[in-house]
């Protein structure tokens, strides 16, 4: 065993609500790194209303996700 104390890592990711820029009003929730500093978070994803891959932009921060040692998030 190591002699370093266990450190709990809190608040490294943020759950955000994202809205399609295709104008359909479709919204998704995604995780993003808390250290992201480039304005609004954007990602390409499938919009079921137009049946195409479109750009989604962050519209609202929902909550900070706590990660304890040994916990994994689904991809």
């Amino acid at each position: 065993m190591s002699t370093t104390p266990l450190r709990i890592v809190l608040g490294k990711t943020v759950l955000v609500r994202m809205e399609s820029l295709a104008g359909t009003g479709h919204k998704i929730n995604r995780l993003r790194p808390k250290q992201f500093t480039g304005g609004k978070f954007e990602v390409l994803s499938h919009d079921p209303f137009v049946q195409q891959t479109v750009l989604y932009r962050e519209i609202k921060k929902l909550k900070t996700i706590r990660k304890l040692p040994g916990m994994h998030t689904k991809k």
Side-chain angles (χ1 to χ4, degrees), residues 39-50:
K40 295 290 186 178
F41 188 63
E42 295 179 341
V43 67
L44 289 174
S45 188
H46 181 75
D47 188 336
F49 294 115
V50 293

Side-chain angles (χ1 to χ4, degrees), residues 5-35:
L6 292 176
R7 293 192 307 174
I8 298 175
V9 179
L10 299 178
K12 291 293 183 178
T13 57
V14 177
L15 183 67
V16 294
R17 164 105 5 120
M18 304 183 83
E19 186 173 12
S20 170
L21 294 181
T24 61
H26 187 253
K27 296 177 178 77
I28 59 174
N29 296 328
R30 284 287 167 100
L31 294 174
R32 73 160 167 86
K34 193 170 187 176
Q35 293 83 14

Side-chain angles (χ1 to χ4, degrees), residues 54-66:
V54 297
L55 188 64
Y56 281 80
R57 182 173 290 151
E58 174 185 343
I59 57 171
K60 181 179 181 181
K61 174 188 166 192
L62 298 177
K63 68 185 288 187
T64 300
I65 304 295
R66 292 179 164 206

